[in-house]
Amino acid sequence: MTTSALPLHMRRSAGRTAFPFFLLLVVLNTLLRPMAWRYEPMWAVYQYNFTVMLLGPLLAGVAAWEGHRLSRADAFLSAHHRPLAMLAAAWAALLAWSCGAFLLGLALVLGRVAWGGTPPTLGLPELLTPLPALALLGLACAVGLTAGRLAGDGGKVAAPMAAIVVFLAFLLLYAGDLSEFVMVGGATSSLVGLRPRADTQTSQIAFYVAATLLALLVGAWSAARHRLRPRHFLAAAATALLCACSAAHLASADPLYLEARPGDVRCHGTHPEICLGRGYGSYEPHLRAGLTPLVQAMAQLNLPAPASFRQDALRSTTNTGQLSPDTVTGDRELLLDMFLGTYYGSDCTIEPGSVMERNHVNARYWLAEAVGVPPYEDPALDRRLTSGTTPERLSVARAAFQGLVACDG
């Protein structure tokens, strides 16, 4: 690529015309989606990366149109032995415009996090998280550019077709067994205590870079078939081999995309201990005011209450409650149901008419009444909880909680 080709393409690129549409897409996709991530910089960045599922196909369509425009200069470029340099410059210009829109959208997301009261302090994991998404954009751009270059007279059809094909490919891979090839972001729940796996991200970037280079070589040399030399075939074969090896490694790698991130929560107080993500610290008084009556209620039954409630817990246990963003920021009823869930295994099923259902109904009714949360009656409710003496109510409630604990899933 010459130094003069890139500035020329930046000015004349179809990406410059499409830039407002790129930006509109990322802004609407950000503002019109739920913003539960606003307290977590890592979750915000990782969730935002999912924007490439929409931006990638649009970029592929624009790139296909650009490739069609370049194909009309094949004779000139081939005569001057510059097809690869010019195609690479066109690709770089298109990618620069789309990445500009992507990064502006990312700045909007981080601004929303800061506005939510969480300073978006970014460490190395957060800074590296967008790289696979940007590399995937580069691949979508190269595929579209090459498709338009090869389409010839059908270039006008190639643009919408490239967008549709790339979008469908993203969907099929994302929903299938090969999701590791496009899974660069998106999370429906909190990422407190979690981060993307560095080895998976590295494998993805290696594959995207190799596949991008191969697509650009195919597009460039298609215009100069009669001028190809053995070293050209050797370079193409080496790139194809690198692409295949990185794809094989990625497909055989551990399918888990996330790993534990220590030190991501801060613990407050005792009896109970409340451990929250850095962005949720302001909710500690609200949580303690809701959890303390629940802990005290269990003391009436002479039964232990969880000693700790953690936002990075993978699941609730008899001694640790799992806090989600909903229970952290929600009302007392959500908190009560989370607390109750610490007394039985997540695999325990509450089937209609079962002993487990009766224990759950009785335990929840008593606990709700004890802490001032409006209870609701159920046909399975033991009537002694509504009309019995205090010792009878305590006895029924104690038996109900012991029955929940007996179910370990």
Side-chain angles (χ1 to χ4, degrees):
M1 186 192 307
T2 62
T3 56
S4 60
L6 182 56
L8 175 66
H9 276 282
M10 287 293 292
R11 292 193 300 270
R12 298 183 178 181
S13 173
R16 181 180 180 182
T17 304
F19 178 76
F21 299 97
F22 293 156
L23 188 59
L24 180 63
L25 177 65
V26 298
V27 169
L28 290 179
N29 187 58
T30 299
L31 298 182
L32 298 181
R33 291 170 64 88
M35 296 186 183
W37 40 258
R38 62 188 180 277
Y39 301 107
E40 300 180 37
M42 171 58 82
W43 187 12
V45 173
Y46 194 65
Q47 175 70 10
Y48 175 74
N49 284 353
F50 194 74
T51 302
V52 300
M53 292 295 151
L54 298 176
L55 185 58
L58 177 59
L59 175 60
V62 174
W65 176 254
E66 186 81 324
H68 169 61
R69 293 202 306 174
L70 282 177
S71 69
R72 290 179 291 183
D74 275 347
F76 173 80
L77 296 176
S78 179
H80 289 76
H81 310 285
R82 307 304 295 274
L84 180 57
M86 293 302 290
L87 192 68
W91 170 83
L94 283 166
L95 186 60
W97 284 112
S98 61
C99 286
F102 181 91
L103 294 175
L104 284 174
L106 181 58
L108 174 65
V109 165
L110 294 177
R112 181 63 184 89
V113 172
W115 189 33
T118 306
T121 304
L122 299 180
L124 188 60
E126 290 91 345
L127 291 174
L128 294 180
T129 296
L131 293 184
L134 294 174
L136 181 57
L137 279 182
L139 176 56
C141 181
V143 168
L145 196 61
T146 297
R149 186 74 178 270
L150 297 177
D153 294 336
K156 294 181 180 179
V157 180
M161 288 300 298
I164 293 172
V165 169
V166 169
F167 180 69
L168 291 177
F170 280 6
L171 284 182
L172 291 175
L173 290 171
Y174 187 84
D177 294 334
L178 296 176
S179 59
E180 60 269 15
F181 285 92
V182 291
M183 181 75 78
V184 295
T188 57
S189 60
S190 172
L191 293 186
V192 168
L194 296 172
R195 65 187 175 194
R197 291 173 58 103
D199 54 344
T200 300
Q201 291 186 320
T202 302
S203 298
Q204 288 177 324
I205 293 172
F207 171 72
Y208 299 150
V209 170
T212 296
L213 181 57
L214 182 61
L216 291 177
L217 288 174
V218 170
W221 291 340
S222 65
R225 290 185 298 270
H226 59 288
R227 296 182 180 274
L228 289 182
R229 298 176 181 176
R231 59 187 177 88
H232 295 147
F233 289 106
L234 182 61
T239 305
L241 180 61
L242 176 62
C243 184
C245 290
S246 58
H249 180 267
L250 188 59
S252 62
D254 191 325
L256 295 176
Y257 303 108
L258 302 173
E259 63 183 4
R261 179 172 52 163
D264 202 29
V265 298
R266 296 175 181 175
C267 296
H268 311 265
T270 57
H271 308 296
E273 178 186 57
I274 299 176
C275 301
L276 298 172
R278 288 171 294 175
Y280 297 88
S282 61
Y283 285 94
E284 190 270 337
H286 162 76
L287 274 172
R288 189 167 298 280
L291 288 170
T292 299
L294 293 167
V295 172
Q296 293 172 344
M298 297 309 297
Q300 298 180 44
L301 302 180
N302 295 320
L303 294 176
S308 177
F309 294 87
R310 301 184 62 92
Q311 202 171 357
D312 61 344
L314 297 181
R315 56 178 289 183
S316 292
T317 67
T318 54
N319 202 44
T320 303
Q322 178 190 24
L323 293 171
S324 68
D326 289 336
T327 52
V328 170
T329 62
D331 56 25
R332 290 190 302 162
E333 189 166 356
L334 287 173
L335 206 57
L336 184 148
D337 286 325
M338 179 280 298
F339 185 91
L340 187 62
T342 65
Y343 286 89
Y344 57 93
S346 60
D347 294 330
C348 293
T349 57
I350 305 176
E351 298 179 354
S354 65
V355 174
M356 183 66 181
E357 184 200 28
R358 292 196 297 273
N359 288 331
H360 186 272
V361 168
N362 290 337
R364 192 189 190 284
Y365 182 92
W366 180 86
L367 189 59
E369 194 173 51
V371 300
V373 173
Y376 56 84
E377 295 194 20
D378 187 277
L381 182 67
D382 190 316
R383 294 305 162 188
R384 287 176 292 177
L385 290 173
T386 58
S387 58
T389 63
T390 297
E392 286 177 331
R393 290 198 297 270
L394 292 176
S395 177
V396 171
R398 186 180 299 108
F401 275 97
Q402 289 171 341
L404 293 180
V405 172
C407 178
D408 60 4

